[in-house]
Amino acid sequence: DDAARVLKPRGNAADTLQPRAFQYEMLEESLRGNVVVAMDTGSGKTLIAILRIQAELERAAPEKLVWFLAPHVELATQQAKVIAAQIPSVQTRLLTGADGVEHWGEQWIWDEILRGIRIVISTHQVLLDALIHGFVQMARLSLLVFDEGWQVGVSLSAGVGNVAEIRRELEANLQAISRTPKLNREELLRYVYKPSLIRLVYPSEVHNTRTSQLVTELSRLRIGLNLEQDPYVKKMRADPAACDSGKLQKAILGRKTYCQEQLKNLNTRAGTIWTELGPWAADWYINACIRKFQLGIRGNPTDLNFFDEDEKIYLEQCLSSILAGITEKSLPLTTEASLSGKVLHLIEFLVSRQISDFTGLLFVRTRAEVAVLAQLLALHPKTKALYNVGTFVGTSSSASRKRNIGDLVDVRDQIGTLDDLRVGRKNLVITTSALEEGIDVTACNTVICFDKPPNLKSVIQRRGRARQSESIFVIMLAEVDDVSIITTWKQLEEKMQQQYMDDMRQLQELETAEEAEEGCREFIIEKTGAKLLLADAAGEKSLTAKVLLPISVDASVREACGQSAWNTEKMAKRDAAFEAYVQLYHAGLISDNLLPIKAFDEAIAEIKNEIAKVPSLVRVAGQFNPWYLVARQWQEPTDSSGLHCFEVSLDCNDELVASMQMLLPCPLPPIPTVPLYWDALTTFRATIYPGSRLVTHSIDLDIAARSTALLLGSIFRHRIDVEKTDFLALFIPSKGEVPKQWTERLAGTINAEKLKQIDLSTLSLNKFGIVRDRSQNGTPYVLRGFQIGSREDEVDSTECQQCKGRGDQEAGLRLQVSRFPKRTDFLHKVSEHNQRAATKIYKELLKPEDCEIDKLPLPYSYFAAMVPSILHRVGVRLVAAHLCNSLLAATVFDDLGLVLTAITTSAAQEPTNYQRQEFLGDSVLKFLTSLTLASEHLQWPEGHLTRAKDHIVSNASLAKAALAVGLDSFIVTESFTGTKWKPLRATNQIEASTGQQRQLSTKTLADVVEALIGAAFIDDGFAKAIAILRIFLPRVWWSDVGDRNEILHSGYQASDTSITYPAYFTQLEQLVGYTFQLKSLALEALTDSSYIGFNVTTSYERLEFLGDVCLDIIVSTTSFNHEPPIRTHSLHLIRSAVVNADFLAFLCLNLHRSVSRNNFTTGHKPNDVSLLETSVPIQIWNFVRHASSSIRRAQQNVLRRYESLRRPILESLQNGPNIPWALLARLDAPKFFSDIIESLIGAIYIDSHGSLAACEAFLEKLGVMGYLRRLLQGGVALYHPKEELGQLADTESVRYEVFRQKEEEKRLGCVVWIGERKVARVGDGVSVLEVETRAAEEAGSILKAERDGGLKKRKLDR
């Protein structure tokens, strides 16, 4: 409604439809009873009517109708468009005489036409007839709105009249009381402007000094026509039986045939134009009318279907005769004599009124003058460069009205005129009285009446169009006008000026009184000394004020009333503002410094020492060494009965290789089987079976130490000090072997020369130990076989790819051997570049006399080589176990592996790391934090909640928490290599356990906390996750999720009884697939903060805050639990894509439910009505309650883009290889579309007592879950084009240059630079994000083509 769009402070050109206080005052009055809103034209009465209709729909039964009445069709049509646009949640119906309502004589017709309709817009007569004939019952109407209500039984004369009498008559006819803003009168005076009145007097003149050639010819033609040739006369004479002699005689004598009437009408109009505008105007008008008639006959005969064919031919022949030699070029505007003095004065005034932002209306009497003046000003050399002229005339409501050849203006050409005026494409519109009432016209700064207005009503309404600051209202008058008329207009002018001065004087008096009246109340915070004075807060002292804060503020503190009565509005408002401030402080929404709380804002928190700024890298404790605790336990007095024995087996391909018993002074947590990668083709598996306490004293610890030294010495002989045997892990042979005998039997070596004396064919190679070449300082070898002879080509090489021989060529026994691997790390697979070498076995031939062979069989040496890797796995498991037994003692984990994964970084190169669990834990943390804050602080607005949540979940906060409890020492960062491994000894571990430090990033510390939260959630849901949070963030009041859900539910349950649920919201429930038990939640979820009216709840921001984390955790858990598991980076990309605001906005627009609606066509016979049942889509955004023009415009604009983008976006989502980032960006949907999706999720969550399954069902219906499954299944590229382009550019920089392409279209373009090369250019964009995304897509395609196909780099002209 443009009536409210001008309500802005002087000098401010902002365009807004935000209702103001005086409009809400009128709304409240209307809710109390029948009222006549008495306000100036342009002060926003239509907006008040819309707010009142919305309020009625909130509380009326679904079968009730709201009926909006307008005095004429043009106004009814325009208001129908406005109402339908402002209230899209219900169906509206426009009914006019053109619909043939006079023929609807059956009840069923009306029932079908009005089925599903909640708002009807019509003229008065339509409703009156329906009521008289009983088709519509008065009881069915819940609200009647009369637009231009003064016309109901009141007729304003040209004079001023008795205002009091007129008001009494109006109130009696409407059974209503007149109301005008009183409480907010000061604001009304500031925001509604009255124009200055200017009388533009032109001289009277005799216009026949130069005649109009075509007017003369047309008059001569009419007089000289032979009526016997007229088609009507000929038709009557040709059929004597049907001829009515009386009618024929009357037509001939009165020259009243249809063709004669057309010529007469054209002649009359042309004469009027000649008089008013001058001879050129009359000639141009006649020429244009005849040319249009001729064009209609030849080009589009349907435009002339109101003529019979004979009449068309006859008129065309008559009119063509007067245009001989006449063209438009032969009618130039050459001299001022060709125009009237009135027009010349108008032109001079328009030239003098040159202002940069000129916006004007020019009112004339007739439609013909509209067309001619528009052409004249467009051609005249003084005005054609200054003004872009448009035209606007009224339309007829009668379907049977015949058109006239003098109707030069085609109403089809004026469809976009008012929009063009609004956006500046046109700056002057010439119109008839059609634009006086109600039509949606932008505020103008110039309104000109080319003729005297016919009455006071026209003066008031036309003047109301000049609503900009410092605007003018011009009335053109002739010098010789009747003196009484001049006096009348002078009196009118004086009254208008007096009224304006009275208003301004009243405003000045109010401002003076405000300066004189001051208060001295104060409010002091003792803690800080902060002071609030009455002057800082915002008769007979009879004025009091009430503050209404935005509905984003909790209802308990939304209103505040002043304590005193005052002389002025200003002081009354300050008093109320003072009380509001105090009230907000006591509610915890104002800080101790009397400043708005920025909950846990980082800068304030730093000052308060709530949180210290933590550098990106911090020095932390060294990685916890679990063997230190084992060493301490070895040093405690004990005997063998206190030891724990674990069977450790080593197998390969399900065959046992070797097994030993491992003795420790402490129990071990369960340890999964450890894969050990011998080479690229061979994998061993070490299994540590659950241990048991030794109950006998038969084991000698010295013997156990000797057996351990024997085992490890076979591989690490140079790293063992034979005098230091305080091993942390002792190894003895498995059951069935006596440790002492086993050690004595297998200790030492044998000289390989003894093999010459043995029958080698009877020996198993596994019985032999490692072969050591004494000539090479005991280099270890694996015995592969024996060779008799010296020629290398005779060596059996079935297992080797290359054999080497050393020494002389003497014949004799040779040992066929391969080197024992130097690898010490068997926990990690062989790297790709080493795989080929690792799979080859290089055999050599050694002479027996140079070698000795260990008595310990080779399988035990294999076992010994694996011991460092096995003990490393035991060690990290002990780290996790000690963490659970100390810091996490209050939380019992069923799966220790989850804890180990959570504390393991990727740098440790363990089989798992924290990244996937951190992804899940991040979502769980945000969900629990948001739920806790929302339920703990029921009065906090969304901004407070968001800042508090951001503080709690921030990396700095979590890192600080990790350091505070000592989690840093448990984080596993060291990667096992085994390169410098030495047997673990008690003395060494104790000596090396103190004073070690390392550097970790704060992000790693925070990530590990989130990973532990994720581990707890996987292990046992929210309850265990909360237990973890109590450890790390004890200052937050964590409690059971169910308790939090009930607090939220109870809070809404308490207020639900005061809410009236609009009947049309049942369609919303059907649309989202959920029926709300607490109806206030559905209302709040779709109430914008701009909405103030009946049925006020709180705005949707708090629910959106909660719904955001509900959406996040549903998407995160679904993605995390997918099989096979998704890698971490892809999880983040998938989640970002699915919770993306543009994607959610598209789904919001795409989800719809079809509601039936009857369209109709009406014939000319009674009850000749054809019904066509159609469907109307109902979408979620239709139900949003707001009072913001920016939201409405955004909804309408994005809906147009959605219609063109829907199919390609759906196709891409269903079948495309990429996420349609560019298409979604082109949709350019404002954030509130995605916000209402999240607010609905939050509403469903609370209403269902915390059921995430109910939220997921809504997401399934919306389409979120289906697309999530498609992304999880793979086959869709996940990277955003800009991210992908950054990867393709590698080390080169990527730069985007955005430019405005067409100023008038507001289109954007973008150029992408890779390094110093211009790679791609796109245009025709609607937003920066869209053009950058499209440009990145194109640049990425070019780089891929260059990379894959070797294409030359494409260069674009700068």
Side-chain angles (χ1 to χ4, degrees), residues 323-344:
L323 288 185
I326 300 295
T327 65
E328 193 165 320
K329 291 183 179 180
S330 66
L331 298 172
L333 276 170
T334 53
T335 65
E336 292 188 354
S338 62
L339 300 176
S340 68
K342 187 176 182 180
V343 169
L344 292 175

Side-chain angles (χ1 to χ4, degrees), residues 466-491:
R467 301 196 300 272
Q468 291 188 17
S469 174
E470 301 180 359
S471 57
I472 60 174
F473 178 49
V474 181
I475 299 176
M476 297 187 68
L477 299 169
E479 285 180 335
V480 296
D481 274 339
D482 190 338
V483 175
S484 63
I485 296 178
I486 297 176
T487 302
T488 300
W489 290 119
K490 185 176 181 180
Q491 291 174 351

Side-chain angles (χ1 to χ4, degrees), residues 921-942:
D922 170 76
S923 183
V924 173
L925 171 62
K926 290 176 180 175
F927 174 79
L928 292 175
T929 302
S930 298
L931 180 62
T932 298
L933 290 171
S935 57
E936 189 72 17
H937 305 285
L938 296 175
Q939 291 182 333
W940 276 16
E942 178 271 336

